[in-house]
Amino acid sequence: MINVVLVGCGAMSKAWLDAVRQIDRLAIVGLVDLDADRARARAHEYDLTGAVIGTDLDAVLDQTRPDAVFDVVVPAARRQVALSAFAHHCHLLTEKPLADTPENARAIVKAARQAGRVHAVVQNRRYVANVRRIRRFLDSGAIGAATSIHADFFVAPHFGGFREEMAHVLLLDMAIHTFDAARYMVAGEPAGVYCQEWEPANSWYRQGSSASAVFDLGGGRLFTYAGSWCGAGFRTSWEGSWRIVAERGSLIWDGHDVLQAEVVAPGRDGLFDKTQPIEVPPLDPADRVDGHLGIIQDFIRAIETGTEPETRGADNIKSLAMVFGAIESAETGRRVTIAEDAQ
């Protein structure tokens, strides 16, 4: 049995606790929140009658001595939670983003390495079934190596609250899902970015609701991102809509269920190479999906087997570096190198 303390009992904690209900070998032994009443309410909601409730993480960790910590706090508090977890010899699974600054991200990854603990990030969109299928299809070489990756994200939610007052709201709060998916699909290593942000006249956000970025993912591959949180009409999926161009064909995904590919065929039709449809195979039994549930199961497996989870912090920091690189480029108006020491 893996005993866990969950810290941060706000709305997002429900997704975690819903997943925990489906895992027999995991027990929540403590709930921590700055608002003790909120933690008690969450314990009552999920029938966690034996869980220790507290407002101080170190005190609850001292009392419960768990194997792991689930971090669902706001990003600004993430570094302190991580350092407390590692100081108590706990493994750590954290909500995205890994940290609120590049410096804090590097500090957390370094602390996990020094403590010898498993550290992973809930990058749940990576566990979407079609993201898995795309990666496996491209790895097969059926249309050759990817040369360019293009993602559009146009969703216009009226959140209210803190998001509408944030700076760099699209890049900071949402774009990492698309950036991480792109990097995963083509096994890319981010090397540089040029990005521009703007605030359209119709926007209800303070700053950064719209952005366009071009990333160098290494190996001659470019990734273009166009996104808006105030582009009403013809809404894309929350996963975006995708086109991946490869050496011998292309793949398109609407972000929902439509996933299609074409491969170059012998001969030409006038100016154009002939193409023909090619099947994108279904999920492989080895593909791990199911969002939070899949990631938590992966995390537990890593603890039990001594292996590294797919969304380990040392890898996820590369996706976070794409976010911070894009923000720096938007602020300075220049191309930004995403160096190894930024990852």
Side-chain angles (χ1 to χ4, degrees):
M1 181 68 71
I2 303 294
N3 291 330
V4 176
V5 166
L6 183 145
V7 53
C9 297
M12 183 57 70
S13 67
K14 291 173 64 66
W16 290 65
L17 293 170
D18 287 341
V20 166
R21 276 178 164 171
Q22 303 177 60
I23 304 174
D24 292 334
R25 62 190 190 279
L26 190 155
I28 300 295
V29 297
L31 292 170
V32 178
D33 196 277
L34 294 175
D35 182 345
D37 288 337
R38 182 161 56 188
R40 278 190 285 269
R42 197 67 80 215
H44 177 75
E45 180 181 0
Y46 284 88
D47 197 27
L48 300 172
T49 55
V52 173
I53 305 298
T55 59
D56 183 281
L57 175 60
D58 288 307
V60 173
L61 293 179
D62 285 336
Q63 184 174 347
T64 58
R65 299 187 178 277
D67 303 292
V69 170
F70 285 173
D71 168 9
V72 202
V73 301
V74 296
R78 195 142 286 149
R79 178 173 178 169
Q80 188 53 55
V81 167
L83 296 181
S84 292
F86 298 142
H88 286 80
H89 310 292
C90 295
H91 304 286
L92 177 65
L93 181 62
T94 181
E95 186 57 66
K96 68 87 185 167
L98 187 159
D100 59 333
T101 68
E103 295 75 21
N104 283 341
R106 289 192 292 268
I108 291 170
V109 170
K110 180 180 179 181
R113 183 171 60 249
Q114 291 176 337
R117 301 290 87 184
V118 175
H119 171 229
V121 180
V122 176
Q123 201 68 60
N124 59 316
R125 270 16 183 267
R126 184 178 285 210
Y127 283 62
V128 170
N130 280 335
V131 172
R132 297 293 195 184
R133 292 175 65 198
I134 290 170
R135 169 63 182 262
R136 191 174 292 279
F137 177 71
L138 292 174
D139 282 351
S140 76
I143 57 174
T147 59
S148 61
I149 306 95
H150 309 278
D152 289 341
F153 177 87
F154 290 88
V155 180
H158 291 266
F159 288 113
F162 72 93
R163 285 184 178 87
E164 294 185 5
E165 297 301 321
M166 283 178 65
H168 310 292
V169 59
L170 180 65
L171 292 174
L172 267 181
D173 197 56
M174 186 65 198
I176 192 169
H177 289 302
T178 313
F179 296 174
D180 183 74
R183 191 171 70 83
Y184 171 75
M185 288 174 184
V186 301
E189 295 291 330
V193 58
Y194 177 77
C195 179
Q196 185 170 353
E197 289 178 310
W198 68 100
E199 211 55 49
N202 62 298
S203 174
W204 49 91
Y205 294 86
R206 183 174 73 81
Q207 195 275 326
S209 69
S210 300
S212 181
V214 180
F215 289 91
D216 176 358
L217 289 185
R221 296 165 298 185
L222 290 183
F223 164 50
T224 69
Y225 171 83
S228 175
W229 255 356
C230 61
F234 302 105
R235 183 169 70 241
T236 66
S237 158
W238 284 95
E239 317 310 330
S241 61
W242 295 76
R243 176 186 292 265
I244 298 176
V245 181
E247 295 168 318
R248 298 191 305 276
S250 294
L251 174 148
I252 58 173
W253 176 38
D254 69 350
H256 296 287
D257 298 323
V258 178
L259 180 56
Q260 299 172 295
E262 290 188 344
V263 65
V264 173
R268 285 188 177 169
D269 185 2
L271 296 174
F272 303 103
D273 291 324
K274 291 183 178 180
T275 60
Q276 61 188 30
I278 181 172
E279 181 185 5
V280 180
L283 279 173
D284 186 275
D287 289 325
R288 299 182 303 280
V289 291
D290 293 329
H292 278 75
L293 176 59
I295 290 177
I296 293 173
Q297 289 174 325
D298 217 13
F299 177 71
I300 293 172
R301 189 179 301 112
I303 293 173
E304 293 174 337
T305 62
T307 57
E308 289 190 318
E310 181 178 316
T311 60
R312 60 194 178 276
D315 178 75
N316 187 258
I317 196 171
K318 298 176 183 179
S319 297
L320 189 60
M322 294 173 72
V323 172
F324 290 130
I327 290 171
E328 181 181 346
S329 176
E331 289 181 337
T332 62
R334 61 178 177 83
R335 183 186 185 275
V336 169
T337 297
I338 303 175
E340 286 295 324
D341 64 1
Q343 303 175 27

